[in-house]
Amino acid sequence: MSTPYPFTAVVGMDDLRLALLLNAVSPAVGGVLVRGEKGTAKSTAVRALASLMPHVDVVAGCRFSCAPAAPDPACPDGPHEAGPGVARPTRMVELPVGASEDRLVGALDIERALAEGVKAFEPGLLADAHRGLLYVDEVNLLHDHLVDLLLDAAAMGASYVEREGVSVRHASRFLLVGTMNPEEGELRPQLLDRFGLTVEVAASRDPDQRVEVVRRRLAYDDDPAGFATRWAGEEEALRERIVAARELLPRVVLGDVALRQIAATCAAFEVDGMRADIVMARTATALAAWAGRDEVMEEDVRQAALLALPHRRRRNPFDAPGLDESKLDETLDEFGGHDEPDPDNDPGPETDPDPGPDGGPDGGGGGGGGVPPQGSGPDTGEAAGSQDEPGRAPVPAPGTGAEQQPARATEPFRTKMLSVPGLGEGAAGRRSRARTEHGRTTGARRPRGALTKLHLAATVQAAAPHQRARGRSGPGLVVRRDDMRQATREGREGNLVLFVVDASGSMAARKRMGAVKGAVLSLLLDAYQRRDKVGLITFRGKGAELALPPTSSVDAAAARLESLPTGGRTPL
């Protein structure tokens, strides 16, 4: 087993490390979604967390990690008697993007079913991750059918398997951690809301910090075990602090003032539902325990809001991610329970002992030396757009053939349902009907090449007539290669929606481009649900250009479309 990179050796990334540590202190926080550009040590930090997690006690021999003090009465390996159990390290289970449904939830043990004639359940990754970490790298690229299963397990704390004559239910409570690059597409809002916290990471622009990152990484690659040994002291100290914070956590008091600040903050940022309030409360409590305090302070509520709300607040595609911190501070001050100022002792606004000749401290009330506020004065309106102001390029009128400033997108709207007729075989999605690896089973056929999905009933039906001729004498079924049947499935595929637009200066181009941008963003807002890609080609001047390469990322499209210019003659 390879030596993981030490968590304490990660350079910078303060928000990411704090979010992960808070979940180590209180798994009820609900996990972390890490968003950022590639090559920013997202996966390295997540994998390093597992070694810091305290050991868990499990029932000896139980494949579903039942707690010995309170075993699951419905455990498929049960019933278990209460006992001391055995301690083992906390597991970190990785869910590959291309995993099958059977690998995630488990399935019938085909080998034992055919050889012994018995029903046996083979646990999946959701069983392995119970009471541990479930890590999904590139979670935004996860197939929709796997997302649905994750949502069900996260919501109910259990996994239900009903297939091929098998009916199994087992507990599945895990800490969900996902990493993603926003340029590669967005998450469905249902899954996004399941992550307790979110952090944005980016590579440092400080040369000294970048040098230290490279130095430590090279040292680790040369000698992983030796590098880990050099950081063993810091790792053990951090592990002890996590244990201490866990012990303090039940004694932390969440007062009425802090709870009111949490509710007011969630209401001010117009988050949907009540999950944000609950996550903020748990996060603020974990922050207080991490700091060694037994009471939640305003600073804990503020930090909890910065971690728990950015992915839950409503925002338009052109809005920058994150929270308006000035608005957050105003809300916390308003509901902070501070004493109101006494009007009898209020000295009123401060007065300048030496006002300028026009009433202002520097005579800015009307003198020629002052700078008038933007948009004031007699030259505002359309006439102001034709003035050659310092530092500002003049904006020519539409149709003059010159470059114009980018047009602003119209408000997004609900798009119509687009679909391609027939039965395709494209990438899995949620748009048009297609033959896919995942979906509802519609029949069976002989496999062409390697068998990828066995149709059990059809295989048994094909083998049954030949049992006497093959000399069957025991309970097992004699099955040969020719009996195997491949399940055929029908699902949905994603489509490519390509806009080709005249962006010349004629035909009210700015208004048209604003409508086009609004349409593209409207489709992109739906793209993460249907696995579509949207692209844009514009033609103006002497040719055409790919203004937006096919993408399913709202952030990438918004950045490209915001600066998309119009103007010039049409090449047609």
Side-chain angles (χ1 to χ4, degrees):
M1 182 177 179
S2 60
T3 304
Y5 192 90
F7 188 87
T8 51
V10 176
V11 180
M13 319 283 275
D14 294 339
D15 289 342
L16 171 58
R17 291 190 294 170
L18 177 62
L20 292 173
L21 289 170
L22 291 177
N23 277 274
V25 171
S26 175
V29 167
V32 186
L33 174 64
V34 188
R35 297 164 50 96
E37 57 195 23
K38 53 186 176 294
T40 50
K42 301 187 297 294
S43 301
T44 299
V46 173
R47 292 189 176 99
L49 176 68
S51 61
L52 296 176
M53 300 287 286
H55 284 46
V56 295
D57 294 328
V58 298
V59 174
C62 178
R63 298 174 297 168
F64 301 88
S65 301
C66 282
D72 183 4
C75 176
D77 284 355
H80 303 298
E81 295 183 1
V86 295
R88 64 159 174 80
T90 299
R91 288 176 181 163
M92 191 190 77
V93 178
E94 293 196 38
L95 172 59
V97 170
S100 66
E101 185 176 337
D102 291 346
R103 186 68 190 97
L104 179 62
V105 300
L108 178 68
D109 189 331
I110 300 296
E111 182 178 352
R112 293 190 61 189
L114 295 178
E116 304 175 22
V118 298
K119 293 181 181 179
F121 179 70
E122 184 69 24
L125 296 177
L126 289 180
D128 294 341
H130 179 46
R131 303 178 66 201
L133 283 80
L134 182 62
Y135 172 50
V136 189
D137 193 13
E138 305 293 352
V139 63
N140 51 324
L141 303 182
L142 199 63
H143 287 293
D144 285 332
H145 69 287
L146 299 181
V147 171
D148 294 337
L149 295 171
L150 272 182
L151 288 172
D152 290 341
M156 296 182 291
S159 175
Y160 293 84
V161 184
E162 302 283 348
R163 55 172 54 196
E164 297 165 342
V166 176
S167 179
V168 175
R169 175 263 178 208
H170 64 83
S172 182
R173 292 181 294 276
F174 47 83
L175 183 64
L176 182 61
V177 181
T179 56
M180 61 174 285
N181 183 351
E183 295 181 356
E184 296 173 344
E186 294 295 333
L187 278 179
R188 288 168 53 185
Q190 297 92 335
L191 181 58
L192 187 64
D193 192 47
R194 283 293 168 186
F195 288 97
L197 311 179
T198 183
V199 291
E200 298 276 343
V201 296
S204 173
R205 299 298 181 256
D206 179 9
D208 293 336
Q209 195 172 77
R210 295 175 75 97
V211 166
E212 186 61 24
V213 170
V214 175
R215 181 181 291 118
R216 292 186 185 183
R217 185 68 207 193
L218 292 178
Y220 170 77
D221 292 340
D222 290 341
D223 183 11
F227 185 82
T229 301
R230 291 197 293 274
W231 290 90
E234 289 83 349
E235 292 282 290
E236 183 59 30
L238 189 59
R239 193 176 294 110
E240 292 175 356
R241 185 177 176 184
I242 292 174
V243 172
R246 279 194 170 194
E247 294 175 352
L248 177 61
L249 186 66
R251 304 195 300 273
V252 175
V253 177
L254 179 65
D256 291 340
V257 173
L259 194 56
R260 188 170 181 80
Q261 286 180 317
I262 290 171
T265 301
C266 293
F269 286 98
E270 300 180 351
V271 297
D272 293 329
M274 296 296 298
R275 184 173 287 117
D277 303 62
I278 297 171
V279 171
M280 268 192 68
R282 290 171 174 167
T283 305
T285 305
L287 280 163
W290 180 248
R293 289 185 270 100
D294 58 3
E295 184 178 1
V296 174
M297 310 293 289
E298 181 175 310
E299 62 201 65
D300 301 322
V301 176
R302 187 181 192 278
Q303 183 64 55
L306 294 175
L307 293 172
L309 297 188
H311 62 303
R312 290 187 169 92
R313 72 178 182 89
R314 295 181 181 179
R315 66 183 182 95
N316 292 322
F318 284 113
D319 293 343
L323 294 182
D324 183 348
E325 296 195 28
S326 60
K327 180 178 179 180
L328 173 61
D329 292 335
E330 291 175 3
T331 305
L332 294 176
D333 289 341
E334 181 180 356
F335 293 89
H338 304 300
D339 294 335
E340 296 293 333
D342 188 352
D344 296 333
N345 297 328
D346 188 2
E350 295 183 2
T351 58
D352 195 322
D354 186 19
D358 296 293
D362 296 314
V371 180
Q374 186 176 2
S376 65
D379 292 329
T380 57
E382 294 184 1
S386 61
Q387 301 293 323
D388 292 335
E389 301 175 12
R392 179 176 178 180
V395 180
T400 61
E403 187 89 355
Q404 297 183 27
Q405 289 190 352
R408 190 171 179 81
T410 59
E411 288 295 320
F413 54 86
R414 186 180 182 87
T415 60
K416 292 183 178 181
M417 179 63 182
L418 304 175
S419 63
V420 177
L423 195 63
E425 295 184 354
R430 291 196 166 192
R431 181 70 67 182
S432 306
R433 294 175 55 230
R435 297 185 185 91
T436 61
E437 288 294 322
H438 312 284
R440 63 185 182 91
T441 301
T442 58
R445 60 172 174 81
R446 291 181 181 273
R448 295 190 291 267
L451 180 69
T452 58
K453 182 63 181 177
L454 178 70
H455 193 297
L456 182 60
T459 300
V460 172
Q461 186 176 5
H466 308 291
Q467 297 305 296
R468 180 176 297 180
R470 294 174 183 175
R472 172 184 168 184
S473 58
L477 194 67
V478 181
V479 180
R480 294 179 179 173
R481 171 67 184 176
D482 292 342
D483 301 327
M484 299 293 183
R485 295 294 183 268
Q486 172 82 28
T488 58
R489 296 189 166 193
E490 181 179 316
R492 296 281 175 174
E493 65 178 356
N495 296 146
L496 170 63
V497 181
L498 189 63
F499 284 86
V500 182
V501 181
D502 179 4
S504 63
S506 59
M507 301 173 59
R510 286 179 60 79
K511 183 176 181 181
R512 181 173 65 253
M513 286 306 300
V516 169
K517 290 181 180 181
V520 173
L521 289 173
S522 299
L523 284 167
L524 280 169
L525 289 172
D526 188 51
Y528 52 73
Q529 295 185 9
R530 304 195 184 277
R531 295 299 184 197
D532 292 336
K533 291 185 180 293
V534 179
L536 175 64
I537 293 177
T538 61
F539 52 92
R540 65 192 185 95
K542 296 183 179 180
E545 63 177 318
L546 181 62
L548 176 65
T551 180
S552 57
S553 170
V554 177
D555 291 340
R560 290 290 193 100
L561 294 175
E562 187 175 21
S563 58
L564 184 66
T566 60
R569 295 182 178 276
T570 176
L572 294 184

